[in-house]
């Protein structure tokens, strides 16, 4: 058994007014985020994508296994392949594979099987979950809370893209198995989601969505009296 090794952790402790201001500013900054399906082809330096992935990879994870792999795709041929395969799957989805209530739920988003943004955005980052690790001798090493860990990393990725000044869309073309093949990922990795990343197009529009107010997403227990 490995003995735990501890190091001091002394983050600065700002005055409470500053904590309040930061929390509020952060909320307001994140509230301007929208999922974008209309991208500009303007280039974005790869170093920015790498920093965004570094930020996402600071996510907490079960037993600190960091069970994720971000595949960064800028190559036009690969983007074209991903678009073609995603559109083929989505054509089936919209053409009858999705049940009526699902199509109804999607109607306000105006989505369909056409995914030109997968070629237009300068980058596609494909997030894989590492179902298990591989030891040097080839045996399997168990990972823990993989979905939860990768979900948190995905959320931090989305936040990092937005706070950097770029846009993304969490996209799960379904089924996603083609991504393992196209991107030549090993058997222990499974696609989790993909994220086109870039600037929104100059004529970008997004659905007119409203976010739930706090009272609908949070409750206090026990209920405050008075
Ligand atoms: N994957 C499809 C359908 C879709 C599903 C959900 I849930 C969305 O929030 C949006 C779309 C597509 O990308 O069109």
């Amino acid at each position: 058994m490995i003995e735990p090794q501890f190091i001091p952790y002394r983050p600065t402790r700002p005055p409470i007014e500053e904590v309040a201001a930061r929390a509020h500013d952060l909320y307001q900054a994140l509230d301007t985020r929208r999922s974008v399906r209309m991208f500009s082809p303007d280039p974005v330096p790869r170093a920015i994508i790498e920093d965004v992935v570094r930020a996402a990879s600071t996510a907490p994870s079960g037993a600190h296994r960091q069970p994720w792999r971000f595949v960064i795709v800028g190559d036009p041929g690969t983007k074209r392949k991903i678009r073609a395969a995603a559109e083929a799957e989505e054509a089936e989805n919209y053409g009858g594979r999705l049940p009526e209530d699902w199509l109804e739920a999607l109607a306000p988003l105006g989505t369909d099987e056409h995914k030109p943004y997968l070629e237009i955005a300068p980058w596609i980052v494909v997030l894989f979950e590492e179902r298990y690790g591989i030891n040097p001798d080839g045996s399997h090493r168990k990972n823990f809370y993989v979905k939860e860990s990768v979900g948190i990393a995905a959320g931090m990725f989305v936040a990092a893209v937005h706070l950097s000044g770029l846009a993304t869309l969490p996209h799960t073309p379904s089924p996603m198995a083609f991504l393992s093949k196209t991107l030549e990922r090993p058997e222990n990795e499974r696609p989790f989601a993909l994220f086109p990343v870039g600037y929104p197009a100059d004529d970008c529009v997004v659905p007119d969505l409203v976010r739930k107010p706090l009272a609908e997403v949070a409750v206090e227990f026990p209920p405050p009296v008075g």
Side-chain angles (χ1 to χ4, degrees), residues 36-41 117 120-122 167-169 196-202 204:
V36 156
R37 294 179 175 82
M38 298 169 71
F39 284 86
S40 159
Y117 53 79
I120 295 170
T168 188
L169 165 75
V197 181
Y199 292 99
D202 289 338
C204 179

Side-chain angles (χ1 to χ4, degrees), residues 113-178:
E113 67 270 36
H114 303 293
K115 309 296 179 193
Y117 53 79
L118 292 175
E119 262 187 276
I120 295 170
W123 299 100
I124 300 177
V125 176
V126 187
L127 174 52
F128 287 81
E129 57 182 72
E130 191 189 68
R131 299 156 59 218
Y132 52 86
I134 314 258
N135 291 316
D137 69 358
S139 61
H140 294 183
R141 182 179 194 234
K142 192 170 150 60
N143 283 335
F144 305 92
Y145 293 100
V146 170
K147 290 268 181 223
E148 293 84 349
S149 303
V150 179
I152 295 168
M156 291 179 62
F157 179 87
V158 168
V161 168
H162 173 68
L163 295 174
S164 302
L166 297 172
T168 188
L169 165 75
H171 182 38
T172 52
S174 171
M176 288 194 285
F178 71 87

Side-chain angles (χ1 to χ4, degrees), residues 87-109:
E87 288 186 332
E89 293 292 358
E90 298 292 8
E92 302 245 352
N93 288 338
Y94 288 94
R97 191 157 61 185
L98 292 181
E100 198 53 40
D101 57 349
W102 193 335
L103 289 174
E104 221 168 273
L106 294 181
L109 303 181

Side-chain angles (χ1 to χ4, degrees), residues 173-186:
S174 171
M176 288 194 285
F178 71 87
L179 291 167
S180 298
K181 231 176 133 193
T182 305
L183 301 175
E184 302 178 13
R185 299 318 302 164

